[in-house]
Amino acid sequence: LVIEALKSAARNNQMKDAFQQSKELYPLLLKAARRYVAGEVRADAIAVAENLLAKDYQVSLEFIGENTVNLEECQKAMKEFMSLIDGMGALSLKQTVSFDLSHIGLSIDKEIAYNHLLQLVQHANTHGIILMVSMEESSKTDAILDIYKKIAAQYDNIGITVQAHLYRTEMDLQELVQYPGKIRLVKGAFQEPSTIAMERSEALNHRYLQFIDQLIKWNHPLSIATHDEVLIQEMEQRHYFQQSNVEIEMLYGIRPDLIQSLQRKGYNCKVYLPYGQEWYLYLCHRLAENPENLYSAVTDMLST
Ligand code: FAD
């Protein structure tokens, strides 16, 4: 019940507006969100990123947003991503920028998303920055992969996220390894019909490992994006993390203890660091994923 409530709260604009207008609740929620997001503006993100880089982590920055259906909003998002790339470039932060294609036009028109992505990839290329495309609901998978492939055939500073829970991923991987871009493997965050995807289960974990195994054998640049300690231990025993083109990537604020212990062993560790005013949506997702986080959220809100 709590999970369902959080999921609907995430997409409920009236509730979001009510929270944002509340002088009492807004700062409290922002305090809780700060465990998972760098802040509301680009400068916050760059400051946290520099701190993480000083501790030998890599970073992947995301300006939070998705499903933008208004062209003006997409252009605003594009402006922010361009400025983020400039800001990182000015500091020589040759790191990663992550985003949803639906934030920059996919929910309006595929061509708009393609053109926006092309502009971003060209701009990022001049600064040695890598773009990482997130994977969204299965209704968008074909469009996201089409756009990615067109651009990845021309530029190598772009990578793609794939979801182990989708049955189609086995076939998609065969094609995606033909492109130079890094592949980020996640379990999958969206609720999908059982005809096309697996639920969280031992079978899914097994499949996740199988895909990683394959990508390692193909020696393809790889981001292992999971907080699953049991899977991580298994992969460590198989010496996967010792390969130089393999990184372990976790969301900022989720299992910081685990990523720290891996980083101390000398493995390539990357922190996915989101920022922006849409943190409310992001916070609801993180709480819904793991209701134990509600306890931390309340503790954060009550702390002085
Ligand atoms: P799970 O089986 O969900 O959890 C395993 C264990 O990890 C849990 O028992 C718990 O100990 C820990 N854990 C997991 N989540 C949490 C949490 N919120 N709070 C505290 N502990 C937790 N999904 C997409 O569909 N598309 C994307 O583009 C995408 N990009 C991602 C990028 C990165 C860098 C990462 C790390 C994840 C991304 N995800 C994406 C989310 C992903 O699909 C999973 O939903 C998420 O990572 C949780 O799955 P898990 O592999 O950690 O394992």
Short mmCIF file of all heavy atoms in Angstrom, two decimals, residues 239-300:
data_model
loop_
_atom_site.label_atom_id
_atom_site.label_comp_id
_atom_site.label_asym_id
_atom_site.label_seq_id
_atom_site.Cartn_x
_atom_site.Cartn_y
_atom_site.Cartn_z
N HIS A 239 36.19 -11.84 -10.70
CA HIS A 239 37.22 -10.85 -11.10
C HIS A 239 36.74 -9.90 -12.21
O HIS A 239 37.56 -9.36 -12.95
CB HIS A 239 38.51 -11.55 -11.55
CG HIS A 239 39.05 -12.49 -10.53
ND1 HIS A 239 39.54 -12.06 -9.31
CD2 HIS A 239 39.13 -13.84 -10.52
CE1 HIS A 239 39.91 -13.11 -8.60
NE2 HIS A 239 39.66 -14.21 -9.31
N TYR A 240 35.42 -9.71 -12.33
CA TYR A 240 34.92 -8.83 -13.38
C TYR A 240 35.39 -7.38 -13.21
O TYR A 240 35.59 -6.68 -14.19
CB TYR A 240 33.39 -8.81 -13.39
CG TYR A 240 32.73 -10.08 -13.85
CD1 TYR A 240 31.36 -10.28 -13.66
CD2 TYR A 240 33.45 -11.09 -14.49
CE1 TYR A 240 30.73 -11.44 -14.09
CE2 TYR A 240 32.83 -12.25 -14.91
CZ TYR A 240 31.46 -12.42 -14.70
OH TYR A 240 30.85 -13.56 -15.13
N PHE A 241 35.51 -6.95 -11.96
CA PHE A 241 35.78 -5.52 -11.73
C PHE A 241 37.24 -5.16 -12.04
O PHE A 241 37.61 -4.00 -12.01
CB PHE A 241 35.45 -5.12 -10.30
CG PHE A 241 34.06 -5.48 -9.87
CD1 PHE A 241 33.79 -5.86 -8.55
CD2 PHE A 241 33.01 -5.47 -10.78
CE1 PHE A 241 32.51 -6.20 -8.15
CE2 PHE A 241 31.72 -5.82 -10.39
CZ PHE A 241 31.48 -6.20 -9.07
N GLN A 242 38.04 -6.18 -12.27
CA GLN A 242 39.45 -5.88 -12.55
C GLN A 242 39.69 -5.48 -14.00
O GLN A 242 40.75 -4.99 -14.34
CB GLN A 242 40.31 -7.08 -12.17
CG GLN A 242 40.45 -7.14 -10.66
CD GLN A 242 40.99 -8.44 -10.15
OE1 GLN A 242 41.40 -9.29 -10.92
NE2 GLN A 242 40.96 -8.60 -8.84
N GLN A 243 38.67 -5.68 -14.82
CA GLN A 243 38.80 -5.29 -16.23
C GLN A 243 38.71 -3.76 -16.33
O GLN A 243 37.80 -3.17 -15.74
CB GLN A 243 37.65 -5.94 -17.01
CG GLN A 243 38.07 -6.42 -18.38
CD GLN A 243 37.09 -7.43 -18.93
OE1 GLN A 243 37.03 -8.57 -18.49
NE2 GLN A 243 36.29 -7.00 -19.89
N SER A 244 39.64 -3.13 -17.07
CA SER A 244 39.70 -1.66 -17.03
C SER A 244 38.47 -0.98 -17.67
O SER A 244 38.15 0.16 -17.36
CB SER A 244 40.98 -1.15 -17.68
OG SER A 244 40.97 -1.54 -19.04
N ASN A 245 37.78 -1.67 -18.59
CA ASN A 245 36.61 -1.03 -19.22
C ASN A 245 35.29 -1.39 -18.50
O ASN A 245 34.21 -1.25 -19.07
CB ASN A 245 36.53 -1.39 -20.71
CG ASN A 245 36.45 -2.89 -20.95
OD1 ASN A 245 36.49 -3.66 -19.99
ND2 ASN A 245 36.33 -3.31 -22.20
N VAL A 246 35.42 -1.83 -17.25
CA VAL A 246 34.22 -2.16 -16.46
C VAL A 246 34.12 -1.23 -15.26
O VAL A 246 35.12 -1.01 -14.57
CB VAL A 246 34.30 -3.63 -15.97
CG1 VAL A 246 33.19 -3.95 -14.99
CG2 VAL A 246 34.26 -4.59 -17.15
N GLU A 247 32.93 -0.68 -15.04
CA GLU A 247 32.73 0.14 -13.83
C GLU A 247 31.50 -0.33 -13.07
O GLU A 247 30.62 -0.97 -13.65
CB GLU A 247 32.59 1.63 -14.19
CG GLU A 247 31.30 1.93 -14.90
CD GLU A 247 31.25 3.31 -15.54
OE1 GLU A 247 32.30 3.97 -15.69
OE2 GLU A 247 30.14 3.72 -15.92
N ILE A 248 31.49 -0.01 -11.78
CA ILE A 248 30.32 -0.29 -10.95
C ILE A 248 29.67 1.06 -10.70
O ILE A 248 30.36 2.01 -10.30
CB ILE A 248 30.74 -0.89 -9.59
CG1 ILE A 248 31.69 -2.06 -9.79
CG2 ILE A 248 29.51 -1.29 -8.77
CD1 ILE A 248 32.62 -2.28 -8.62
N GLU A 249 28.36 1.14 -10.95
CA GLU A 249 27.71 2.45 -10.83
C GLU A 249 26.51 2.34 -9.89
O GLU A 249 25.69 1.44 -10.02
CB GLU A 249 27.26 2.91 -12.23
CG GLU A 249 26.76 4.33 -12.28
CD GLU A 249 26.48 4.81 -13.71
OE1 GLU A 249 26.58 4.00 -14.66
OE2 GLU A 249 26.13 5.99 -13.86
N MET A 250 26.45 3.25 -8.93
CA MET A 250 25.31 3.24 -7.99
C MET A 250 24.71 4.63 -7.88
O MET A 250 25.38 5.64 -8.13
CB MET A 250 25.77 2.79 -6.60
CG MET A 250 26.19 1.35 -6.57
SD MET A 250 26.46 0.76 -4.89
CE MET A 250 27.47 -0.68 -5.24
N LEU A 251 23.45 4.66 -7.48
CA LEU A 251 22.76 5.95 -7.30
C LEU A 251 23.28 6.63 -6.04
O LEU A 251 23.50 5.97 -5.01
CB LEU A 251 21.24 5.73 -7.20
CG LEU A 251 20.57 4.96 -8.34
CD1 LEU A 251 19.06 4.82 -8.08
CD2 LEU A 251 20.80 5.65 -9.69
N TYR A 252 23.46 7.93 -6.13
CA TYR A 252 23.93 8.73 -4.99
C TYR A 252 23.01 8.48 -3.79
O TYR A 252 21.78 8.57 -3.90
CB TYR A 252 23.88 10.20 -5.41
CG TYR A 252 24.32 11.20 -4.38
CD1 TYR A 252 25.63 11.23 -3.93
CD2 TYR A 252 23.44 12.17 -3.89
CE1 TYR A 252 26.05 12.17 -3.00
CE2 TYR A 252 23.85 13.12 -2.96
CZ TYR A 252 25.15 13.11 -2.52
OH TYR A 252 25.56 14.05 -1.61
N GLY A 253 23.61 8.18 -2.67
CA GLY A 253 22.84 8.01 -1.43
C GLY A 253 22.29 6.61 -1.20
O GLY A 253 21.75 6.32 -0.14
N ILE A 254 22.39 5.72 -2.22
CA ILE A 254 21.91 4.34 -2.03
C ILE A 254 23.15 3.48 -1.81
O ILE A 254 24.05 3.46 -2.64
CB ILE A 254 21.15 3.82 -3.27
CG1 ILE A 254 20.05 4.77 -3.70
CG2 ILE A 254 20.64 2.39 -3.05
CD1 ILE A 254 18.75 4.66 -3.01
N ARG A 255 23.20 2.80 -0.72
CA ARG A 255 24.34 1.93 -0.34
C ARG A 255 25.71 2.64 -0.48
O ARG A 255 26.63 2.09 -1.09
CB ARG A 255 24.32 0.63 -1.16
CG ARG A 255 23.12 -0.26 -0.91
CD ARG A 255 22.95 -0.70 0.54
NE ARG A 255 24.15 -1.17 1.20
CZ ARG A 255 24.52 -2.44 1.29
NH1 ARG A 255 23.77 -3.38 0.77
NH2 ARG A 255 25.61 -2.78 1.93
N PRO A 256 25.84 3.83 0.12
CA PRO A 256 27.15 4.50 0.04
C PRO A 256 28.27 3.68 0.69
O PRO A 256 29.42 3.74 0.28
CB PRO A 256 26.93 5.83 0.76
CG PRO A 256 25.68 5.65 1.55
CD PRO A 256 24.85 4.64 0.86
N ASP A 257 27.88 2.88 1.70
CA ASP A 257 28.87 2.02 2.37
C ASP A 257 29.44 0.98 1.39
O ASP A 257 30.64 0.71 1.35
CB ASP A 257 28.21 1.30 3.56
CG ASP A 257 26.94 0.54 3.12
OD1 ASP A 257 26.22 1.01 2.20
OD2 ASP A 257 26.67 -0.55 3.65
N LEU A 258 28.55 0.42 0.58
CA LEU A 258 28.96 -0.64 -0.35
C LEU A 258 29.87 -0.08 -1.45
O LEU A 258 30.94 -0.65 -1.73
CB LEU A 258 27.70 -1.28 -0.96
CG LEU A 258 27.90 -2.42 -1.94
CD1 LEU A 258 28.70 -3.57 -1.32
CD2 LEU A 258 26.54 -2.96 -2.42
N ILE A 259 29.48 1.05 -2.01
CA ILE A 259 30.32 1.60 -3.10
C ILE A 259 31.67 2.06 -2.54
O ILE A 259 32.71 1.89 -3.19
CB ILE A 259 29.59 2.70 -3.93
CG1 ILE A 259 30.34 2.89 -5.25
CG2 ILE A 259 29.43 3.99 -3.20
CD1 ILE A 259 29.57 3.56 -6.34
N GLN A 260 31.64 2.55 -1.31
CA GLN A 260 32.91 2.97 -0.71
C GLN A 260 33.86 1.78 -0.53
O GLN A 260 35.06 1.86 -0.82
CB GLN A 260 32.66 3.65 0.63
CG GLN A 260 33.92 4.27 1.19
CD GLN A 260 33.71 4.86 2.56
OE1 GLN A 260 33.26 4.18 3.49
NE2 GLN A 260 34.01 6.13 2.70
N SER A 261 33.30 0.65 -0.09
CA SER A 261 34.19 -0.50 0.13
C SER A 261 34.75 -1.00 -1.20
O SER A 261 35.90 -1.44 -1.26
CB SER A 261 33.45 -1.62 0.89
OG SER A 261 32.50 -2.20 0.04
N LEU A 262 33.97 -0.88 -2.27
CA LEU A 262 34.47 -1.32 -3.59
C LEU A 262 35.52 -0.35 -4.12
O LEU A 262 36.53 -0.75 -4.69
CB LEU A 262 33.30 -1.43 -4.57
CG LEU A 262 32.28 -2.53 -4.21
CD1 LEU A 262 30.97 -2.34 -4.97
CD2 LEU A 262 32.85 -3.91 -4.49
N GLN A 263 35.26 0.93 -3.89
CA GLN A 263 36.20 1.95 -4.35
C GLN A 263 37.55 1.79 -3.63
O GLN A 263 38.60 1.92 -4.23
CB GLN A 263 35.56 3.33 -4.10
CG GLN A 263 36.27 4.48 -4.74
CD GLN A 263 37.36 5.05 -3.84
OE1 GLN A 263 37.31 4.89 -2.61
NE2 GLN A 263 38.33 5.69 -4.43
N ARG A 264 37.48 1.42 -2.34
CA ARG A 264 38.73 1.26 -1.57
C ARG A 264 39.54 0.06 -2.04
O ARG A 264 40.73 -0.03 -1.79
CB ARG A 264 38.41 1.12 -0.08
CG ARG A 264 37.99 2.46 0.48
CD ARG A 264 38.01 2.50 1.97
NE ARG A 264 37.74 3.85 2.42
CZ ARG A 264 37.14 4.16 3.54
NH1 ARG A 264 36.74 3.21 4.37
NH2 ARG A 264 36.95 5.42 3.87
N LYS A 265 38.86 -0.86 -2.73
CA LYS A 265 39.60 -2.01 -3.27
C LYS A 265 40.24 -1.66 -4.63
O LYS A 265 40.85 -2.50 -5.26
CB LYS A 265 38.66 -3.20 -3.44
CG LYS A 265 38.23 -3.80 -2.13
CD LYS A 265 37.28 -4.97 -2.36
CE LYS A 265 36.71 -5.44 -1.03
NZ LYS A 265 35.60 -6.37 -1.20
N GLY A 266 40.00 -0.42 -5.06
CA GLY A 266 40.65 0.04 -6.30
C GLY A 266 39.83 -0.19 -7.56
O GLY A 266 40.34 0.00 -8.66
N TYR A 267 38.56 -0.58 -7.43
CA TYR A 267 37.73 -0.79 -8.62
C TYR A 267 37.22 0.55 -9.15
O TYR A 267 37.13 1.52 -8.41
CB TYR A 267 36.53 -1.70 -8.30
CG TYR A 267 36.91 -3.04 -7.71
CD1 TYR A 267 36.20 -3.57 -6.64
CD2 TYR A 267 37.98 -3.77 -8.23
CE1 TYR A 267 36.54 -4.80 -6.09
CE2 TYR A 267 38.32 -5.00 -7.69
CZ TYR A 267 37.60 -5.51 -6.61
OH TYR A 267 37.95 -6.71 -6.08
N ASN A 268 36.84 0.58 -10.45
CA ASN A 268 36.26 1.80 -11.04
C ASN A 268 34.84 1.96 -10.51
O ASN A 268 33.97 1.15 -10.83
CB ASN A 268 36.17 1.68 -12.56
CG ASN A 268 37.53 1.53 -13.20
OD1 ASN A 268 38.49 2.14 -12.75
ND2 ASN A 268 37.60 0.71 -14.23
N CYS A 269 34.62 2.99 -9.72
CA CYS A 269 33.28 3.18 -9.12
C CYS A 269 32.72 4.53 -9.55
O CYS A 269 33.40 5.56 -9.44
CB CYS A 269 33.37 3.13 -7.60
SG CYS A 269 33.75 1.48 -7.01
N LYS A 270 31.48 4.52 -9.99
CA LYS A 270 30.84 5.75 -10.46
C LYS A 270 29.57 6.02 -9.66
O LYS A 270 28.82 5.09 -9.35
CB LYS A 270 30.51 5.60 -11.95
CG LYS A 270 29.90 6.83 -12.56
CD LYS A 270 29.68 6.66 -14.05
CE LYS A 270 30.90 7.04 -14.85
NZ LYS A 270 30.68 6.93 -16.30
N VAL A 271 29.36 7.29 -9.34
CA VAL A 271 28.15 7.68 -8.60
C VAL A 271 27.23 8.44 -9.55
O VAL A 271 27.65 9.38 -10.22
CB VAL A 271 28.51 8.55 -7.38
CG1 VAL A 271 27.24 9.00 -6.65
CG2 VAL A 271 29.43 7.81 -6.43
N TYR A 272 25.98 8.00 -9.59
CA TYR A 272 24.96 8.65 -10.43
C TYR A 272 24.34 9.77 -9.60
O TYR A 272 23.70 9.51 -8.58
CB TYR A 272 23.93 7.59 -10.79
CG TYR A 272 22.85 8.01 -11.75
CD1 TYR A 272 22.91 7.62 -13.08
CD2 TYR A 272 21.74 8.73 -11.34
CE1 TYR A 272 21.91 7.95 -13.98
CE2 TYR A 272 20.74 9.08 -12.22
CZ TYR A 272 20.83 8.68 -13.54
OH TYR A 272 19.84 9.01 -14.42
N LEU A 273 24.57 11.01 -10.04
CA LEU A 273 24.26 12.16 -9.20
C LEU A 273 23.21 13.06 -9.84
O LEU A 273 23.52 13.84 -10.74
CB LEU A 273 25.58 12.94 -9.01
CG LEU A 273 25.58 14.12 -8.08
CD1 LEU A 273 25.19 13.72 -6.66
CD2 LEU A 273 26.97 14.76 -8.06
N PRO A 274 21.96 12.97 -9.41
CA PRO A 274 20.93 13.81 -10.01
C PRO A 274 20.78 15.16 -9.29
O PRO A 274 21.12 15.28 -8.13
CB PRO A 274 19.65 12.98 -9.82
CG PRO A 274 19.97 11.98 -8.77
CD PRO A 274 21.42 12.03 -8.44
N TYR A 275 20.27 16.13 -10.03
CA TYR A 275 19.96 17.43 -9.42
C TYR A 275 18.80 18.04 -10.20
O TYR A 275 18.46 17.59 -11.29
CB TYR A 275 21.19 18.38 -9.46
CG TYR A 275 21.46 18.95 -10.83
CD1 TYR A 275 20.99 20.21 -11.22
CD2 TYR A 275 22.19 18.22 -11.76
CE1 TYR A 275 21.24 20.73 -12.48
CE2 TYR A 275 22.44 18.72 -13.04
CZ TYR A 275 21.96 19.98 -13.39
OH TYR A 275 22.20 20.46 -14.64
N GLY A 276 18.23 19.07 -9.61
CA GLY A 276 17.17 19.79 -10.33
C GLY A 276 15.93 19.95 -9.47
O GLY A 276 15.80 19.34 -8.40
N GLN A 277 15.02 20.77 -9.98
CA GLN A 277 13.82 21.08 -9.18
C GLN A 277 12.81 19.94 -9.17
O GLN A 277 11.88 19.95 -8.36
CB GLN A 277 13.20 22.37 -9.68
CG GLN A 277 14.10 23.54 -9.30
CD GLN A 277 13.46 24.87 -9.49
OE1 GLN A 277 12.88 25.10 -10.54
NE2 GLN A 277 13.57 25.73 -8.50
N GLU A 278 12.99 18.99 -10.08
CA GLU A 278 12.05 17.85 -10.12
C GLU A 278 12.46 16.76 -9.12
O GLU A 278 12.14 15.59 -9.30
CB GLU A 278 11.99 17.27 -11.53
CG GLU A 278 11.36 18.19 -12.56
CD GLU A 278 9.89 18.53 -12.26
OE1 GLU A 278 9.16 17.63 -11.83
OE2 GLU A 278 9.51 19.69 -12.45
N TRP A 279 13.16 17.12 -8.06
CA TRP A 279 13.66 16.14 -7.10
C TRP A 279 12.50 15.41 -6.42
O TRP A 279 12.67 14.29 -5.93
CB TRP A 279 14.56 16.80 -6.06
CG TRP A 279 13.96 18.00 -5.38
CD1 TRP A 279 14.19 19.29 -5.71
CD2 TRP A 279 13.02 18.01 -4.30
NE1 TRP A 279 13.46 20.13 -4.91
CE2 TRP A 279 12.73 19.37 -4.02
CE3 TRP A 279 12.40 17.04 -3.52
CZ2 TRP A 279 11.84 19.75 -3.03
CZ3 TRP A 279 11.51 17.42 -2.52
CH2 TRP A 279 11.24 18.76 -2.29
N TYR A 280 11.32 16.00 -6.38
CA TYR A 280 10.18 15.38 -5.70
C TYR A 280 9.86 14.01 -6.32
O TYR A 280 9.69 13.00 -5.63
CB TYR A 280 8.98 16.34 -5.79
CG TYR A 280 7.67 15.72 -5.39
CD1 TYR A 280 7.33 15.59 -4.06
CD2 TYR A 280 6.78 15.25 -6.35
CE1 TYR A 280 6.12 15.00 -3.69
CE2 TYR A 280 5.59 14.67 -5.99
CZ TYR A 280 5.26 14.54 -4.67
OH TYR A 280 4.09 13.95 -4.31
N LEU A 281 9.84 14.01 -7.66
CA LEU A 281 9.57 12.78 -8.41
C LEU A 281 10.64 11.73 -8.10
O LEU A 281 10.35 10.56 -7.82
CB LEU A 281 9.60 13.14 -9.90
CG LEU A 281 9.54 12.03 -10.92
CD1 LEU A 281 8.10 11.55 -11.03
CD2 LEU A 281 10.01 12.52 -12.30
N TYR A 282 11.87 12.19 -8.12
CA TYR A 282 13.00 11.29 -7.89
C TYR A 282 12.96 10.72 -6.47
O TYR A 282 13.18 9.52 -6.25
CB TYR A 282 14.30 12.07 -8.15
CG TYR A 282 15.52 11.19 -8.16
CD1 TYR A 282 15.90 10.52 -9.32
CD2 TYR A 282 16.29 11.02 -7.02
CE1 TYR A 282 17.01 9.69 -9.33
CE2 TYR A 282 17.40 10.21 -7.02
CZ TYR A 282 17.76 9.55 -8.18
OH TYR A 282 18.87 8.73 -8.18
N LEU A 283 12.63 11.59 -5.50
CA LEU A 283 12.56 11.13 -4.09
C LEU A 283 11.49 10.05 -3.94
O LEU A 283 11.73 9.01 -3.32
CB LEU A 283 12.26 12.33 -3.18
CG LEU A 283 12.01 12.00 -1.70
CD1 LEU A 283 13.27 11.46 -1.04
CD2 LEU A 283 11.53 13.24 -0.92
N CYS A 284 10.30 10.28 -4.54
CA CYS A 284 9.21 9.30 -4.42
C CYS A 284 9.66 7.96 -5.00
O CYS A 284 9.37 6.90 -4.42
CB CYS A 284 7.96 9.78 -5.14
SG CYS A 284 7.15 11.15 -4.31
N HIS A 285 10.38 7.97 -6.14
CA HIS A 285 10.84 6.72 -6.74
C HIS A 285 11.78 5.96 -5.79
O HIS A 285 11.67 4.76 -5.62
CB HIS A 285 11.59 6.98 -8.05
CG HIS A 285 10.68 7.29 -9.21
ND1 HIS A 285 9.52 6.61 -9.44
CD2 HIS A 285 10.78 8.22 -10.19
CE1 HIS A 285 8.94 7.11 -10.52
NE2 HIS A 285 9.68 8.08 -10.99
N ARG A 286 12.70 6.69 -5.20
CA ARG A 286 13.69 6.03 -4.32
C ARG A 286 13.01 5.45 -3.08
O ARG A 286 13.34 4.38 -2.63
CB ARG A 286 14.80 7.00 -3.89
CG ARG A 286 15.63 7.57 -5.01
CD ARG A 286 16.50 6.57 -5.74
NE ARG A 286 15.86 5.70 -6.68
CZ ARG A 286 15.53 6.00 -7.95
NH1 ARG A 286 15.79 7.18 -8.44
NH2 ARG A 286 14.94 5.13 -8.74
N LEU A 287 12.02 6.18 -2.55
CA LEU A 287 11.33 5.69 -1.36
C LEU A 287 10.47 4.48 -1.71
O LEU A 287 10.39 3.50 -0.96
CB LEU A 287 10.46 6.78 -0.73
CG LEU A 287 11.21 8.03 -0.25
CD1 LEU A 287 10.26 9.00 0.44
CD2 LEU A 287 12.33 7.69 0.72
N ALA A 288 9.84 4.52 -2.89
CA ALA A 288 8.97 3.41 -3.30
C ALA A 288 9.78 2.14 -3.55
O ALA A 288 9.32 1.04 -3.28
CB ALA A 288 8.20 3.79 -4.57
N GLU A 289 11.01 2.31 -4.02
CA GLU A 289 11.86 1.15 -4.31
C GLU A 289 12.22 0.39 -3.05
O GLU A 289 12.42 -0.82 -3.08
CB GLU A 289 13.20 1.65 -4.89
CG GLU A 289 13.35 1.45 -6.34
CD GLU A 289 14.60 2.18 -6.84
OE1 GLU A 289 15.49 2.56 -6.04
OE2 GLU A 289 14.64 2.40 -8.03
N ASN A 290 12.36 1.14 -1.97
CA ASN A 290 12.81 0.50 -0.74
C ASN A 290 12.18 1.23 0.45
O ASN A 290 12.71 2.22 0.94
CB ASN A 290 14.35 0.56 -0.67
CG ASN A 290 14.87 -0.37 0.38
OD1 ASN A 290 14.25 -0.54 1.43
ND2 ASN A 290 16.01 -0.98 0.12
N PRO A 291 11.03 0.72 0.92
CA PRO A 291 10.30 1.44 1.96
C PRO A 291 11.11 1.68 3.24
O PRO A 291 10.80 2.59 4.00
CB PRO A 291 9.09 0.54 2.23
CG PRO A 291 8.91 -0.22 0.95
CD PRO A 291 10.28 -0.43 0.40
N GLU A 292 12.20 0.92 3.41
CA GLU A 292 13.07 1.21 4.58
C GLU A 292 13.62 2.63 4.50
O GLU A 292 13.96 3.24 5.51
CB GLU A 292 14.26 0.24 4.61
CG GLU A 292 13.92 -1.08 5.25
CD GLU A 292 15.08 -2.06 5.15
OE1 GLU A 292 16.24 -1.62 5.18
OE2 GLU A 292 14.79 -3.26 5.02
N ASN A 293 13.69 3.14 3.27
CA ASN A 293 14.21 4.50 3.10
C ASN A 293 13.28 5.54 3.69
O ASN A 293 13.70 6.67 3.94
CB ASN A 293 14.43 4.81 1.61
CG ASN A 293 15.57 4.00 1.05
OD1 ASN A 293 16.37 3.46 1.78
ND2 ASN A 293 15.63 3.91 -0.27
N LEU A 294 12.01 5.15 3.92
CA LEU A 294 11.07 6.08 4.54
C LEU A 294 11.56 6.47 5.93
O LEU A 294 11.44 7.61 6.35
CB LEU A 294 9.69 5.41 4.69
CG LEU A 294 8.75 5.50 3.50
CD1 LEU A 294 7.52 4.67 3.76
CD2 LEU A 294 8.36 6.97 3.28
N TYR A 295 12.11 5.47 6.61
CA TYR A 295 12.62 5.71 7.96
C TYR A 295 13.75 6.76 7.91
O TYR A 295 13.75 7.72 8.67
CB TYR A 295 13.13 4.39 8.56
CG TYR A 295 13.79 4.55 9.88
CD1 TYR A 295 13.03 4.77 11.04
CD2 TYR A 295 15.18 4.52 10.00
CE1 TYR A 295 13.65 4.96 12.26
CE2 TYR A 295 15.80 4.70 11.21
CZ TYR A 295 15.04 4.92 12.34
OH TYR A 295 15.66 5.11 13.55
N SER A 296 14.68 6.56 6.93
CA SER A 296 15.78 7.54 6.80
C SER A 296 15.24 8.91 6.45
O SER A 296 15.73 9.93 6.94
CB SER A 296 16.76 7.14 5.69
OG SER A 296 16.93 5.78 5.63
N ALA A 297 14.18 8.93 5.58
CA ALA A 297 13.62 10.21 5.16
C ALA A 297 13.06 10.96 6.37
O ALA A 297 13.31 12.16 6.55
CB ALA A 297 12.54 10.00 4.11
N VAL A 298 12.34 10.22 7.22
CA VAL A 298 11.74 10.88 8.39
C VAL A 298 12.85 11.36 9.32
O VAL A 298 12.83 12.49 9.83
CB VAL A 298 10.77 9.91 9.11
CG1 VAL A 298 10.28 10.51 10.42
CG2 VAL A 298 9.60 9.59 8.19
N THR A 299 13.88 10.50 9.50
CA THR A 299 15.00 10.90 10.36
C THR A 299 15.67 12.16 9.81
O THR A 299 15.99 13.09 10.55
CB THR A 299 16.05 9.75 10.42
OG1 THR A 299 15.36 8.54 10.58
CG2 THR A 299 17.05 9.95 11.54
N ASP A 300 15.87 12.18 8.47
CA ASP A 300 16.51 13.37 7.85
C ASP A 300 15.67 14.62 8.09
O ASP A 300 16.19 15.69 8.39
CB ASP A 300 16.67 13.17 6.34
CG ASP A 300 17.73 12.13 6.01
OD1 ASP A 300 18.54 11.80 6.90
OD2 ASP A 300 17.74 11.63 4.87
#
